[in-house]
Amino acid sequence: MRRRALLLAGLSLPLLGATGLELLRNRRAKFEEVGDGVLMTVAMPELLPTRDDDAMASLESAFATTLVFEIVVYRAGHSAPVDQRSRVVKIQYNPWKERYVVTTSDPGRAAQVRYYTGRDEAIARATTLDRVRVARVSGLQRGADNIYFATVVGQRNPIDRDLLAPQSGDEWDRGQGRDLSVFSRWVGIFVRATQSAEQTFAIKTVPGFYLVSS
């Protein structure tokens, strides 16, 4: 299978307009081209910090902690999404076997289950998007003039799982005339998501990346 590292573009990228920029934290991420997929690796430890006594107590009580990630890829200078994916991760302590179980679920794929004896190692696995497929190569344009980046909204134990899901027929289509309303809706979603989860954290990957020309 063809594998190619993507070049990072050390640019100050325009996002989706000025409104809502403060909601996103810049975060370095690694991107790879593998076959027809763009894979991203990025960590979001803020979703389950070990210094959060309540979160750790809940985890040690053997209740499952659920992390929901909504990933959207944009082309720099455009606010319409190029591609979007989701991931659900559950982390739970098994007191009988004295180990942590991390279950990762992606739409259309069988869940992956891993076991850890150390709490911190399990948390690192749960809060890291490790080589997650975020876009189709065939859906992107090659060359240094076509810069892309990703935004990720992560939630811990969201009350309403469907809150972040785009509705069919709404502004999430790719019409350029609706670009501003797309991001306005995203900001509203983020605000409501913050109120519906124990923890919400949002990032924008920097710097941007582009597909190397063939």
Side-chain angles (χ1 to χ4, degrees), residues 25-208:
R25 304 288 183 88
N26 289 340
R27 181 62 49 87
R28 292 193 66 86
K30 178 182 178 182
F31 292 91
E32 303 171 75
E33 178 184 345
V34 180
D36 190 44
V38 174
L39 310 184
M40 178 183 73
T41 297
V42 66
M44 297 177 66
E46 295 85 355
L47 284 177
L48 194 54
T50 55
R51 64 179 180 277
D52 186 330
D53 294 337
D54 290 339
M56 294 302 101
S58 177
L59 184 59
E60 297 295 342
S61 69
F63 287 102
T65 294
T66 301
L67 305 179
V68 177
F69 300 91
E70 298 290 340
I71 308 159
V72 184
V73 174
Y74 296 95
R75 182 178 175 183
H78 299 261
S79 57
V82 174
D83 211 330
Q84 54 197 59
R85 308 294 170 98
S86 62
R87 168 169 285 191
V88 177
V89 180
K90 291 182 180 293
I91 176 172
Q92 186 171 16
Y93 180 62
N94 185 327
W96 293 275
K97 295 186 177 181
E98 298 184 338
R99 64 183 184 182
Y100 295 85
V101 183
V102 179
T103 304
T104 302
S105 300
D106 295 310
R109 300 183 61 182
Q112 297 181 346
V113 182
R114 295 194 178 185
Y115 304 95
Y116 300 89
T117 56
R119 185 195 67 181
D120 291 358
E121 186 180 9
I123 290 175
R125 169 66 181 179
T127 58
T128 299
L129 296 171
D130 184 19
R131 304 184 80 242
V132 61
R133 180 186 172 107
V134 297
R136 294 175 297 106
V137 170
S138 56
L140 306 182
Q141 297 184 45
R142 292 189 176 275
D145 292 334
N146 302 294
I147 310 298
Y148 298 90
F149 63 90
T151 63
V152 184
V153 177
Q155 290 182 272
R156 185 177 80 226
N157 292 331
I159 296 173
D160 185 356
R161 171 64 184 88
D162 295 327
L163 187 61
L164 294 178
Q167 301 298 316
S168 59
D170 66 10
E171 295 93 343
W172 282 92
D173 64 29
R174 303 184 186 211
Q176 292 299 314
R178 299 186 179 184
D179 283 359
L180 294 180
S181 61
V182 169
F183 188 56
S184 296
R185 181 176 182 275
W186 189 94
V187 172
I189 286 172
F190 178 85
V191 171
R192 295 197 304 275
T194 302
Q195 300 171 349
S196 69
E198 293 177 2
Q199 178 75 5
T200 300
F201 195 77
I203 65 170
K204 167 181 171 282
T205 61
V206 293

